[in-house]
C-alpha cells in the first residue's frame, strides 16, 4: 500500500530433548506493530485488506499501534540421519501455529498454520558448516481472505573463527501467501558469541531483496542451556 510498518517480535522459547534425536520447543511471543495492520502467519506476512482500504482514507500523520501476545508456536524436530563423512545430517520437523494472537487488532489471522520441513547440515574442515532447509506451510485463511500455502527455503553457512566466535550468512526465500505480492527474499548476516558452554549471544541484520520482504531487520538473541 506504500505505507511503512514497524514490527517488534520478542519470542520466549523453551526447548527440551526428551530423547537424543528428538527436540521439542514451545514459543510464546510478544508482538508490537505500528502504523499499517499486517498479519503474520507460519508462511509469511500479509496486509489485511480492510486496513489497506482504511489506510488510504486516513491522514498519513495518524499512527496506529497494537501490541499483545502473538501466536503460540509448537515445534518438533527429529534427526532422521546423523552426519557421516560423506553424508549430511538430515532432520525432519513439524511446526504448528496456534491462533492465540488478537485477530481484531491485526496481530494474527485467527487460524491455525502447519509447517512440515526437512533440514540438511554438513561440517567441513571442522570450522565450516553448511545448511539447507526446505519447508511447506499450510496457511489458514481467515473469513473473507484467501491466503495461499507457502514453500520456503533457506541456504547458508557458518564459520567458527575462534572457539567462542562464529559468523554466519543465510539467503532465505519463500513463495508469497497473498495474491499480488512478490515472493519474499532476504539476506541475513550475523555472529554468535558463546560466553560459556551454557550461554550464547547472537545478533544479525537482514536486508530485503524483494518487495515481499522487509526493507531491513535487526535481530538479537540470548540462549541459555540447562
Amino acid at each position: 500500500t506504500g505505507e511503512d510498518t514497524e514490527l517488534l517480535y520478542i519470542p520466549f522459547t523453551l526447548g527440551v530433548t526428551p530423547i537424543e534425536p528428538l527436540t521439542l520447543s514451545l514459543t510464546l511471543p510478544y508482538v508490537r506493530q505500528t502504523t499499517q495492520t499486517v498479519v503474520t502467519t507460519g508462511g509469511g506476512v500479509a496486509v489485511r485488506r480492510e486496513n489497506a482500504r482504511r489506510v488510504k482514507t486516513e491522514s498519513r500523520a495518524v499512527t496506529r499501534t497494537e501490541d499483545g501476545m502473538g501466536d503460540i508456536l509448537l515445534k518438533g524436530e527429529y534427526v532422521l540421519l546423523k552426519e557421516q563423512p560423506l553424508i549430511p545430517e538430515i532432520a525432519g520437523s513439524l511446526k504448528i501455529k496456534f491462533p492465540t494472537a488478537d485477530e481484531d487488532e491485526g496481530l494474527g489471522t485467527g487460524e491455525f498454520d502447519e509447517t512440515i520441513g526437512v533440514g540438511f547440515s554438513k561440517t567441513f574442515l571442522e570450522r565450516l558448516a553448511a545448511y539447507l532447509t526446505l519447508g511447506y506451510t499450510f496457511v489458514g485463511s481467515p473469513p473473507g481472505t484467501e491466503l495461499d500455502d507457502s514453500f520456503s527455503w533457506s541456504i547458508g553457512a557458518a564459520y567458527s573463527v575462534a572457539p567462542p566466535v562464529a559468523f554466519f550468512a543465510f539467503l532465505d526465500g519463500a513463495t508469497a501467501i497473498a495474491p499480488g505480492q512478490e515472493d519474499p527474499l532476504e539476506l541475513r548476516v550475523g555472529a554468535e558469541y558463546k560466553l560459556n558452554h551454557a550461554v550464547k549471544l547472537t545478533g544479525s541484520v537482514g536486508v530485503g531483496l524483494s518487495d515481499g520482504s522487509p526493507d531491513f531487520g535487526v535481530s538479537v538473541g540470548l540462549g541459555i542451556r540447562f
Side-chain angles (χ1 to χ4, degrees):
T1 64
E3 294 294 320
D4 289 336
T5 298
E6 297 178 3
L7 287 172
L8 175 65
Y9 185 83
I10 305 177
F12 298 90
T13 300
L14 177 64
V16 61
T17 304
I19 56 176
E20 184 178 351
L22 176 65
T23 299
L24 301 174
S25 65
L26 181 69
T27 298
L28 305 175
Y30 166 81
V31 182
R32 178 185 176 90
Q33 65 175 12
T34 300
T35 305
Q36 183 185 104
T37 301
V38 299
V39 288
T40 304
T41 76
V45 175
V47 178
R48 288 182 58 147
R49 291 181 180 178
E50 61 269 26
N51 279 55
R53 291 193 295 268
R54 175 180 52 74
V55 165
K56 293 180 180 179
T57 62
E58 289 185 347
S59 169
R60 291 181 179 271
V62 175
T63 299
R64 292 174 57 90
T65 298
E66 294 91 14
D67 69 316
M69 181 178 180
D71 292 318
I72 292 177
L73 304 176
L74 177 63
K75 182 179 180 180
E77 185 174 83
Y78 191 89
V79 177
L80 303 172
L81 182 65
K82 290 187 176 181
E83 181 178 350
Q84 301 178 29
L86 298 178
I87 300 176
E89 178 177 288
I90 303 175
S93 64
L94 172 64
K95 181 173 66 176
I96 301 175
K97 187 208 79 174
F98 293 85
T100 53
D102 192 331
E103 181 185 2
D104 294 332
E105 297 296 334
L107 300 179
T109 62
E111 303 292 333
F112 283 87
D113 297 334
E114 302 84 23
T115 301
I116 56 175
V118 59
F120 305 86
S121 61
K122 187 75 176 72
T123 302
F124 301 92
L125 304 175
E126 297 184 357
R127 292 191 175 187
L128 179 65
Y131 303 91
L132 172 64
T133 303
L134 306 174
Y136 189 89
T137 301
F138 300 91
V139 180
S141 297
T145 302
E146 288 294 332
L147 300 179
D148 298 327
D149 295 341
S150 176
F151 171 76
S152 61
W153 56 269
S154 176
I155 185 170
Y159 183 75
S160 178
V161 179
V165 180
F167 293 95
F168 57 85
F170 284 87
L171 184 65
D172 305 322
T175 58
I177 64 173
Q181 289 188 341
E182 290 191 25
D183 292 342
L185 183 63
E186 180 180 2
L187 175 65
R188 293 183 293 119
V189 295
E192 176 184 284
Y193 183 83
K194 292 185 178 180
L195 298 176
N196 51 52
H197 71 282
V199 181
K200 69 177 180 179
L201 301 173
T202 60
S204 67
V205 294
V207 178
L209 304 180
S210 78
D211 287 340
S213 294
D215 293 335
F216 67 90
V218 178
S219 175
V220 294
L222 169 66
I224 303 175
R225 297 179 63 90
F226 54 89

